[in-house]
Amino acid sequence: MGNEEDFAGEPNSFRKEAPAGTSNLLRRAAELIATVLSLSLSIRAFATKWQLIRTKLEELHSGLIAAENYDSGENPQLTGILPSVISTAGECRDLARRCSDLSYSGKLLMQSDLDVAIAKLDGHVSTLSEIYKKGILANGSALVVSKPSLGASREDIRFYVRDLLTRMKIGDLGMKKVALRNLYEVVVEDERYVKAVVDVGDVVHVLVGFLGSTESGLQEESAKVVSVIAGFGCYKGNLVNSGVVAPLVRVLDCGSEEGKVAAARCLVKLTENSDNAWCVSAHGGVTALLRICDGDDGGCDGDLIGHACGVLSNLVSVEEIKRFMIEEGAVSTFIRLVRSRDEAIQVNSIGFIQNIASGDELVKQMVIREGGIRALLRVLDPKWPCSYKTREISIRAIENLFFSPLSSVSALISYGFVDSLLYYVRNGEVSIQELALKVAFRLSGTSEEAKKSMGDAGFMAELVKFLNAKSFEVREMAAEALSGLVMLPKNRKRFVQDDHNIALILQLLDPEEGNSGNKKYLISILMSLTSCNSGRKKIVSSGYAKNIEKLADAQVSSDAKKLAKKLSTNRFRSLFSGIWHS
């Protein structure tokens, strides 16, 4: 901890020194306190009292070290309190020795002496703090304690944090900013510094105070530190109890762009705990966040909108807050944001719409009325500049929100969703193609209208191609979806027009065919096709019709027996029998 650097970057030869008398007293007081701190670590008696004494000594020591490294000038107030500080430190040293070797005369008397020492130390800390607040100490030539090395002890870490705390309290604006940046650097690198920040008195309160500063730099830097602390669940309560929510909301209202981003990021983490939702709402946070989102004109920071969406998404779990958002026009705001050209804004807006409408039919209908389906389908337009990731998110949102009730499915179909889905089944990259196929499979089971629309669009020809896919899951979905589509007479007629369709299905029924789909659904397709004359004729005349016999004889499928029986009736019996035994 003894290594030091020039805080202001000035050569040591140019650094001003405090007057010899003051400097000697400061050094003597700091050294004496350091001795007491070291001695106190081995004390086992009166552990709680000594913990309080150590906390006060550490804070006082940090303040004195900082004062020693400043150009304090002729400061009678500072010089005046040092003898008293030295005297109290000497008393503490005496008490430490007596507690260490258990040479005190009585517990009650020692407890009383320790209480007196705590009160004196508290008075010294308060007095020194008042001197600093008045700006009596000049800040032009301070030294800063070097950051402890990797694997530093708990004491070194706490000392470093206390030193930064002192500089945040008494330094000029530049010094405060540097101290905050140094603090941010260590809390990001090492969780132990986060614990030290929470444990060392006043650090969190100072950070909260800076959030309310009119100086944007202090707002930004402190918000970044607080955001890191908020990432640890065990410390969120410390921040909330210290009053961090109200100033964070004020930063959202009138802070700089960078400060707003950091504040919103922090609130995302804090509101992961729904207990904090009301606190954010009570301080006007919902209104501030909606105002940020509503103010987007295409040039707003994507990160800010994204984090604002994140906070609001966390808050919709509280029904009363959700209703307030709806009344304030949140639905139309976020549907508009889905049309943004900023991908981050698009993605987060889609996520918010899903959260606010999920499980709420009234809100779903509001989303439809406000143009939500059209906005999501625009993302799927190949001409619209979007990544496949964003398109996948849009497809999933449509599936989650609008596949029930039937009125929502009808709205989807009327806006052209089937054609958009078919495009990605045909032309998408592997990930979005598989997603589109899964969604098409689900859509085919929603309604007769959906089956008809998919048949008219040309889905059956694409599904046939997937019957030979490598993935069993893909083959099964394609077969099941086809079995549903051909239940409609119009789709059956369209399907049998291509001889290849029936031939492929019969070929895949071969028991020796290892790359087959689910035979249950393949047989179901053929059963539906037997409902029309042309379908029955093409089945029995196919060179692969014997595979139905193989399945029936192998006793592996009762459905195969039913199909064989149906094909063997009436005027097709002789034709099928001839093929069967050829």
Side-chain angles (χ1 to χ4, degrees):
M1 288 187 294
N3 296 331
E4 296 181 335
E5 304 169 340
D6 259 298
F7 181 87
E10 296 177 332
N12 288 335
S13 59
F14 291 99
R15 184 163 57 88
K16 300 176 184 179
E17 298 289 346
T22 302
S23 179
N24 288 336
L25 288 172
L26 282 168
R27 190 174 299 110
R28 181 181 171 191
E31 290 174 353
L32 185 54
I33 290 174
T35 299
V36 179
L37 283 169
S38 178
L39 184 60
S40 70
L41 294 175
S42 61
I43 298 174
R44 296 292 176 265
F46 308 102
T48 303
K49 299 285 188 186
W50 277 105
Q51 180 59 51
L52 289 173
I53 290 174
R54 271 194 297 273
T55 299
K56 295 299 179 183
L57 286 172
E58 286 174 350
E59 189 169 352
L60 190 58
H61 185 262
S62 179
L64 294 175
I65 290 294
E68 186 181 0
N69 293 328
Y70 282 74
D71 174 18
S72 55
E74 294 293 341
N75 186 348
Q77 285 186 272
L78 177 61
T79 305
I81 70 164
L82 290 176
S84 179
V85 171
I86 292 171
S87 174
T88 301
E91 293 171 9
C92 289
R93 179 179 58 185
D94 179 60
L95 291 172
R97 287 172 177 167
R98 288 160 56 195
C99 287
S100 181
D101 57 21
L102 303 179
S103 60
Y104 49 85
S105 56
K107 286 187 176 182
L108 291 178
L109 181 59
M110 177 52 71
Q111 284 181 340
S112 177
D113 289 343
L114 293 174
D115 286 337
V116 171
I118 291 170
K120 288 183 177 180
L121 291 171
D122 191 52
H124 296 324
V125 169
S126 297
T127 302
L128 193 60
S129 178
E130 287 300 317
I131 293 174
Y132 292 161
K133 285 179 181 178
K134 293 177 182 177
I136 295 174
L137 298 179
N139 304 313
S141 52
L143 299 176
V144 65
V145 175
S146 297
K147 183 177 74 173
S149 60
L150 189 66
S153 67
R154 174 176 174 271
E155 288 73 24
D156 284 352
I157 289 173
R158 286 173 64 90
F159 181 85
Y160 183 68
V161 170
R162 282 196 175 279
D163 182 74
L164 294 178
L165 171 62
T166 300
R167 295 166 194 282
M168 288 189 289
K169 281 184 172 181
I170 70 176
D172 59 12
L173 179 59
M175 187 176 297
K176 286 179 168 66
K177 288 181 180 179
V178 173
L180 283 168
R181 285 195 289 269
N182 290 341
L183 184 59
Y184 176 72
E185 179 184 340
V186 293
V187 295
V188 167
E189 291 177 354
D190 192 336
E191 180 181 344
R192 294 182 300 162
Y193 285 93
V194 179
K195 177 174 173 51
V197 166
V198 175
D199 290 345
V200 171
D202 275 354
V203 180
V204 172
H205 291 291
V206 169
L207 292 172
V208 171
F210 284 162
L211 288 173
S213 171
T214 56
E215 169 53 46
S216 61
L218 294 181
Q219 278 188 353
E220 294 165 7
E221 298 298 336
S222 57
K224 287 163 62 177
V225 176
V226 170
S227 181
V228 175
I229 300 171
F232 295 86
C234 54
Y235 302 133
K236 290 179 182 178
N238 298 80
L239 293 175
V240 174
N241 292 336
S242 298
V244 76
V245 172
L248 284 173
V249 172
R250 285 196 294 272
V251 174
L252 290 178
D253 259 332
C254 54
S256 66
E257 192 78 3
E258 186 177 344
K260 289 180 179 180
V261 171
R265 185 186 294 117
C266 183
L267 286 172
V268 169
K269 298 172 183 177
L270 291 177
T271 53
E272 287 171 355
N273 180 349
S274 59
D275 293 340
N276 296 328
W278 279 115
C279 186
V280 174
S281 178
H283 288 98
V286 177
T287 301
L289 291 161
L290 288 174
R291 190 180 299 118
I292 287 172
C293 297
D294 196 39
D296 176 47
D297 58 0
C300 191
D301 185 275
D303 282 343
L304 177 56
I305 296 289
H307 292 309
C309 287
V311 182
L312 292 171
S313 293
N314 289 341
L315 299 181
V316 296
S317 60
V318 180
E319 187 65 22
E320 293 84 349
I321 297 177
K322 171 183 168 180
R323 293 299 160 195
F324 175 76
M325 292 183 197
I326 294 170
E327 291 171 4
E328 292 295 304
V331 172
S332 59
T333 293
F334 283 94
I335 288 174
R336 180 174 58 81
L337 289 176
V338 172
R339 300 187 178 97
S340 170
R341 291 186 177 272
D342 187 302
E343 188 169 355
I345 294 176
Q346 279 187 320
V347 169
N348 286 288
S349 299
I350 293 171
F352 176 82
I353 290 171
Q354 282 198 85
N355 286 334
I356 199 169
S358 180
D360 192 323
E361 292 304 324
L362 291 177
V363 179
K364 286 183 185 179
Q365 292 305 312
M366 182 182 295
V367 171
I368 294 173
R369 289 196 305 272
E370 296 285 348
I373 291 178
R374 290 193 297 272
L376 291 170
L377 287 178
R378 186 180 184 184
V379 175
L380 300 183
D381 185 346
K383 298 177 183 178
W384 187 254
C386 287
S387 69
Y388 274 115
K389 174 188 174 183
T390 304
R391 300 189 202 279
E392 288 177 21
I393 291 171
S394 181
I395 291 174
R396 287 195 180 95
I398 290 171
E399 178 189 16
N400 293 336
L401 294 178
F402 306 120
F403 274 27
S404 67
L406 293 181
S407 59
S408 296
V409 178
S410 296
L412 272 180
I413 293 170
S414 68
Y415 287 126
F417 175 62
V418 172
D419 290 331
S420 296
L421 196 60
L422 181 59
Y423 174 86
Y424 290 102
V425 170
R426 285 174 173 166
N427 306 299
E429 291 184 352
V430 175
S431 62
I432 195 169
Q433 186 182 49
E434 289 187 1
L435 173 63
L437 178 62
K438 291 177 181 178
V439 174
F441 163 69
R442 271 205 64 200
L443 181 63
S444 68
T446 57
S447 68
E448 297 295 297
E449 183 185 7
K451 289 183 175 70
K452 179 181 180 300
S453 180
M454 292 176 73
D456 293 342
F459 251 102
M460 289 188 294
E462 299 306 318
L463 291 173
V464 168
K465 296 176 184 177
F466 287 103
L467 294 177
N468 252 333
K470 292 181 180 180
S471 165
F472 175 80
E473 181 187 9
V474 169
R475 296 195 303 270
E476 186 175 45
M477 282 193 300
E480 186 174 354
L482 273 173
S483 70
L485 293 181
V486 297
M487 291 176 68
L488 293 186
K490 186 177 181 181
N491 287 343
R492 281 198 296 270
K493 291 179 181 178
R494 182 180 285 114
F495 188 82
V496 299
Q497 287 174 1
D498 188 340
D499 294 343
H500 168 75
N501 292 341
I502 292 177
L504 176 62
I505 292 174
L506 288 169
Q507 184 180 356
L508 292 173
L509 285 178
D510 188 344
E512 299 177 3
E513 174 64 54
N515 187 34
S516 65
N518 190 312
K519 290 181 173 59
K520 171 185 175 182
Y521 296 113
L522 296 177
I523 292 173
S524 175
I525 294 170
L526 293 174
M527 285 289 284
S528 293
L529 297 181
T530 60
S531 299
C532 64
N533 289 333
S534 59
R536 287 197 299 272
K537 288 179 181 179
K538 290 190 176 184
I539 292 172
V540 298
S541 63
S542 171
Y544 296 103
K546 64 181 71 175
N547 288 335
I548 299 174
E549 175 195 5
K550 291 180 183 180
L551 283 177
D553 288 346
Q555 303 291 323
V556 297
S557 172
S558 60
D559 292 333
K561 289 184 178 181
K562 293 177 183 177
L563 176 60
K565 183 178 180 181
K566 189 169 184 180
L567 290 169
S568 300
T569 58
N570 301 328
R571 60 197 179 94
F572 290 97
R573 181 182 296 115
S574 59
L575 177 60
F576 188 64
S577 178
I579 296 171
W580 192 304
H581 297 291
S582 61

